[in-house]
């Protein structure tokens, strides 16, 4: 068994330990020591980083009470190593982790919610078995930060089994022996083996971010401590830039963006109508044709524009009216005739001009693979 120094002191970052075994592992060497301050991956939290005997600690895993460090080099069995934990990462996690206890404890007390999932990555994700809304989470956030401001001690105890039986605490596993209870008086009591801050004031800030319905309950994203500050800084810069760009006060940015999107949608609609009218107006200059007619609009004209032109022109055309526009390697077309059902002649036209498409009600649309020259020549003889 490795002595878990982090259990007694979450702030211990430098230690000495003797090497008990070294085996080759995936991407390095698995080193077991008689003691460690490195917290292994577990319970939704990643392993600590740092150095051990001058080697980089790439990963830390617990196997049947033994803590195995994955190092990028091999020390000698029996040798004493100096270990140093990357405390900035560890402390950020301690802030987030303890913040999650507070939020889960309050969710439990206010709404009877059970925590059914936890992940501490760049962001804290927690799942509860209860459906909550924004107003409920605002209340939780207020109380959670109140608990931070009160700077309540975070106490670690190992109650005897009989004492444990009479206690109320949150737990994921049904253990009775050697259970590590983390108590934040008046806020939460929870069985947990991870490192926590000593007093809630060290968390600084707890911010609930997003939430969504998840498996009959709710998934909640939150930040705490230094990460909450970074999150605020980034969001502040964003919202300040949006406010400045739109010449509105920051708290009116969302509304201003909505107005901008509405105005943009209106402009798009008007532009589209304008293009349709312009396409139809092209028909006026075409005069009358006894045979068929192929009219080319500018590149990437929409099917709606081609249709507008085709319908405006077809009464003055004796044969087939085709409106076309280059689109990539082929031509989009819309075809119609005022005098016969175009559908009946379509397969013939497709065969001649490498076409595909279809339609009904006397109007067809699709693509032609032939060149402009081939298309013009075909329709002049049709
Ligand atoms: Zn914990």
């Amino acid at each position: 068994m490795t002595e878990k120094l982090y259990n007694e002191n979450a702030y211990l970052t430098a230690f000495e330990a003797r090497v008990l075994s070294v085996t080759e592992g995936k991407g390095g060497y698995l080193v077991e020591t008689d003691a460690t301050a490195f917290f292994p991956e577990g319970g939704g939290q990643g392993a600590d980083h740092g150095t051990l005997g001058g080697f980089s600690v790439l990963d830390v895993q617990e196997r049947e009470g033994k803590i195995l460090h994955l190092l990028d080099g091999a020390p000698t069995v029996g040798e004493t190593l100096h270990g140093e934990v990357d405390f900035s990462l560890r402390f950020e996690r301690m802030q987030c982790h303890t913040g999650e206890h507070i939020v889960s404890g309050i969710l439990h007390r206010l709404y009877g919610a059970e925590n059914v999932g936890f992940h501490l990555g760049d962001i804290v994700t927690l799942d509860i078995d209860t459906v909550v809304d924004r107003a409920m989470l605002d209340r939780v956030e207020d109380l959670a930060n109140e608990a931070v401001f009160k700077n309540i001690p975070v106490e670690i105890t190992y109650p005897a089994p009989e004492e444990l039986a009479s206690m109320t605490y949150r737990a994921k596993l049904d253990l009775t022996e050697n259970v590590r209870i983390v108590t934040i008086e008046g806020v939460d009591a929870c069985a947990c083996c991870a490192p926590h801050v000593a007093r809630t004031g060290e968390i600084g800030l707890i911010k609930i971010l997003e939430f969504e319905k998840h498996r009959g309950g709710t998934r909640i994203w939150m930040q705490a401590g230094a990460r909450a500050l970074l999150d605020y800084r980034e969001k502040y810069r964003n919202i300040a830039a949006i406010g400045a760009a739109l010449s509105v006060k920051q708290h009116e940015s969302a509304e201003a963006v909505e107005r901008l999107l509405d105005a943009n949608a209106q402009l798009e609609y008007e532009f589209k109508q304008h293009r349709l009218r312009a396409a139809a107006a092209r028909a006026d200059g075409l005069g009358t044709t006894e045979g068929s007619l192929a009219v080319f609009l500018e590149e990437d004209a929409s099917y709606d524009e081609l249709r507008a032109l085709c319908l405006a022109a077809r009464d003055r055309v004796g044969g087939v009216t085709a409106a076309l526009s280059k689109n990539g390697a082929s031509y989009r077309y819309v075809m119609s005739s005022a005098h016969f059902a175009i559908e009946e002649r379509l397969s013939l036209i497709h065969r001649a001009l490498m076409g595909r498409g279809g339609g009904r009600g006397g109007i067809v649309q699709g693509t032609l693979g032939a060149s402009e020259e081939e298309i013009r020549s075909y329709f002049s003889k049709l």
Side-chain angles (χ1 to χ4, degrees), residues 239-257:
I239 209 78
I242 294 169
L246 299 179
S247 302
V248 295
K249 294 191 179 86
Q250 285 176 21
H251 69 272
E252 290 165 353
S253 306
E255 220 175 280
V257 169

Side-chain angles (χ1 to χ4, degrees), residues 97 101 192 194 196:
H97 188 110
H101 275 250
C192 182
H196 305 82

Side-chain angles (χ1 to χ4, degrees), residues 86-125:
D86 172 353
F87 192 65
S88 65
L89 176 67
R90 156 71 80 78
F91 187 65
E92 277 183 17
R93 287 175 173 169
M94 282 158 60
Q95 288 179 312
C96 287
H97 188 110
T98 315
E100 184 272 334
H101 275 250
I102 293 173
V103 167
S104 290
I106 293 168
L107 280 164
H108 183 72
R109 180 159 55 85
L110 290 188
Y111 310 121
E114 294 293 343
N115 181 313
V116 291
F118 168 69
H119 179 73
L120 203 176
D122 292 336
I123 204 166
V124 177
T125 311

Side-chain angles (χ1 to χ4, degrees), residues 89 121 148 154 193 303 355:
L89 176 67
V148 171
V154 179
C193 58
Y303 278 113

Side-chain angles (χ1 to χ4, degrees), residues 2 5 13-21 29-38 49-60 67-75 79-86:
T2 315
L5 303 171
T13 58
F15 65 101
E16 309 285 321
R18 206 163 53 82
V19 178
L20 299 181
S21 72
Y29 297 89
L30 288 169
V31 178
E32 180 197 355
T33 49
D34 60 352
T36 189
F38 285 96
H49 293 185
T51 57
L52 185 55
F55 300 113
S56 286
V57 177
L58 307 171
D59 190 21
V60 189
I67 308 266
L68 300 174
H69 311 79
L70 183 71
L71 305 184
D72 64 354
E79 179 183 8
T80 296
L81 303 181
H82 177 75
E84 276 190 35
V85 176
D86 172 353

